């Protein structure tokens, strides 16, 4: 695959006209150029579950660089097996993001660093942490405010537009359309032990970078990365939306003394509940 083809594949992969998607608006978005026929063939064929990988040039074990095409195929095949889908998806969009593992409560900063790759930018978690501390957004990497995350994104990604959305379900079309245009969704949610969305009232608040979607006639699944696993995740849109909208309080497990964590005015509910960011390259 040529570098130009890889760039097209990583940034946006659309396997159906957008007007065929049941969530599209009356004004369809023209699909991006399709990959070569040989690449397209692989997306609807079963591939061995042994993806090839290559080592990152970054000498840091927290970085992991899989073969992006194989990763999407393997992830989609897991979907077919787990969900029992018989039909091909109406829409598939996917943008490769590098995987970065977090150290400490830095999930939001890690998600932002991963999302930066979509705008061809390189932003380190350490630089984001220093700036967040300087601005008074965070003590040790925690980010309990969507607005503060938006400010950091604007400061480090000058070629990216930042949109704060209120309510994932209400903005379903906006989210899917934006992903089809190559955007990344940064979203807080409650993470279960397997890192998937759950509802714990915000006690397990975590951040993820959503970089793709698979849409069928009856379901929409979002492809996401988060800082506690190298694996590309697939989550039901409505399950993630429910998790996002249940972030209402700071976890008692983190101690009665919340001085180690910076909370915005109004707490977790005001900072995170029902809110997310769309990062779109200008």
């Amino acid at each position: 695959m040529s570098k130009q083809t890889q760039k097209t594949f990583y940034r946006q992969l659309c396997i159906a006209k957008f007007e065929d998607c049941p969530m599209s608006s009356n004004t369809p978005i023209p699909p991006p150029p399709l990959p070569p026929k040989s690449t397209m063939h692989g997306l609807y064929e079963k591939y061995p579950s042994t993806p090839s990988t290559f080592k990152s040039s970054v000498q840091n074990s927290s970085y992991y660089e899989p073969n992006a095409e194989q990763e999407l195929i393997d992830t989609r095949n897991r979907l077919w097996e787990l969900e029992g889908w018989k039909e091909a998806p109406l829409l598939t969009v996917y943008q490769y993001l590098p995987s970065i593992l977090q150290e400490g409560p830095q999930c939001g900063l890690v998600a932002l660093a991963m999302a930066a790759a979509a705008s061809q930018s390189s932003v380190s978690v350490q630089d984001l942490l220093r700036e967040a501390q300087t601005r008074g957004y965070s003590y040790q990497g925690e980010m309990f405010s969507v607005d503060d995350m938006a400010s950091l994104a604007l400061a480090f990604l000058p070629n990216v537009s930042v949109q704060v959305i209120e309510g994932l379900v209400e903005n379903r079309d906006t989210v899917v359309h934006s992903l089809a245009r190559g955007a990344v969704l940064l979203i807080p949610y409650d993470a279960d032990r397997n890192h998937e969305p759950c509802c714990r009232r915000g006690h397990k608040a975590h951040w993820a970078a959503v970089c793709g979607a698979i849409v069928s006639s009856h379901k929409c699944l979002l492809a996401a990365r988060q800082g506690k696993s190298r694996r590309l995740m697939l989550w039901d849109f409505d399950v993630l939306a429910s998790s996002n909208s249940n972030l209402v309080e700071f976890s008692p497990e983190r101690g009665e003394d919340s001085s180690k964590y910076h909370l915005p005015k109004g707490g977790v509910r005001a900072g995170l509940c029902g809110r997310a960011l769309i990062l779109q390259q200008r």
Side-chain angles (χ1 to χ4, degrees):
M1 188 185 297
S2 68
K3 290 184 178 180
Q4 183 59 38
T5 302
Q6 284 183 338
K7 182 178 179 181
T8 301
F9 188 91
Y10 294 166
R11 289 189 54 77
Q12 198 176 75
L13 185 57
C14 193
I15 316 300
K17 292 184 178 179
F18 204 86
E19 57 263 37
D20 293 334
C21 174
M23 299 177 187
S24 63
S25 65
N26 293 329
T27 305
I29 302 171
L34 294 176
K37 186 175 181 180
S38 60
T39 301
M40 289 289 294
H41 175 75
L43 294 170
Y44 289 110
E45 296 292 330
K46 281 279 186 177
Y47 270 59
S49 58
T50 54
S52 59
T53 61
F54 58 91
K55 293 183 179 180
S56 169
S57 59
V58 180
Q59 298 301 314
N60 187 327
S61 61
S62 66
Y63 285 80
Y64 174 72
E65 302 285 353
N67 178 291
E69 180 179 2
Q70 187 67 58
E71 181 180 45
L72 176 61
I73 293 167
D74 289 342
T75 301
R76 195 221 60 178
N77 286 344
R78 291 204 311 272
L79 164 72
W80 257 239
E81 294 168 2
L82 294 174
E83 299 287 340
W85 283 16
K86 304 299 182 182
E87 59 180 315
L90 298 175
L91 176 72
T92 300
V93 291
Y94 173 68
Q95 179 168 215
Y96 172 73
L97 298 181
S99 175
I100 305 174
L101 297 182
Q102 69 188 72
E103 297 178 4
Q106 300 177 353
C107 53
L109 302 181
V110 164
L112 180 53
M114 289 191 286
S119 63
Q120 308 300 309
S121 300
S122 178
V123 178
S124 74
V125 176
Q126 291 73 24
D127 287 344
L128 289 170
L129 175 59
R130 281 192 290 268
E131 185 65 20
Q133 291 172 330
T134 298
R135 295 184 177 213
Y137 296 164
S138 177
Y139 295 144
Q140 49 184 333
E142 74 287 350
M143 294 297 295
F144 286 104
S145 169
V146 166
D147 292 326
D148 290 347
M149 283 282 284
S151 295
L152 283 179
L154 288 171
F156 281 86
L157 305 174
N159 296 323
V160 168
S161 64
V162 179
Q163 178 184 0
V164 175
I165 60 173
E166 306 275 351
L168 200 62
V169 172
E170 295 82 354
N171 288 279
R172 185 188 299 263
D173 283 0
T174 298
V175 169
V176 176
H177 280 234
S178 297
L179 291 172
R181 292 190 181 101
V184 176
L185 175 74
L186 291 183
I187 183 167
Y189 72 103
D190 262 338
D192 212 339
R193 290 184 177 181
N194 60 359
H195 317 305
E196 294 193 358
C198 65
C199 292
R200 302 286 177 84
R201 297 182 59 79
H203 296 184
K204 299 296 182 180
H206 193 43
W207 281 88
V210 175
C211 54
I214 299 177
V215 181
S216 76
S217 60
H218 64 284
K219 183 175 288 191
C220 175
L221 294 165
L222 298 177
R225 289 203 184 281
Q226 49 78 41
K228 292 185 177 180
S229 170
R230 291 172 173 168
R231 195 173 196 180
L232 183 68
M233 315 293 285
L234 275 177
W235 298 331
D236 183 279
F237 188 104
D238 292 324
V239 172
L240 180 59
S242 295
S243 182
N244 172 251
S245 64
N246 104 117
L247 304 174
V248 296
E249 63 185 25
F250 184 75
S251 172
E253 295 178 5
R254 289 173 173 159
E256 295 181 1
D257 180 10
S258 62
S259 62
K260 294 181 179 179
Y261 302 92
H262 182 274
L263 297 176
K265 184 178 180 180
V268 172
R269 183 189 293 272
L272 301 179
C273 185
R275 313 183 77 210
L277 295 173
I278 294 176
L279 306 184
Q280 180 79 63
Q281 187 170 10
R282 299 181 192 276

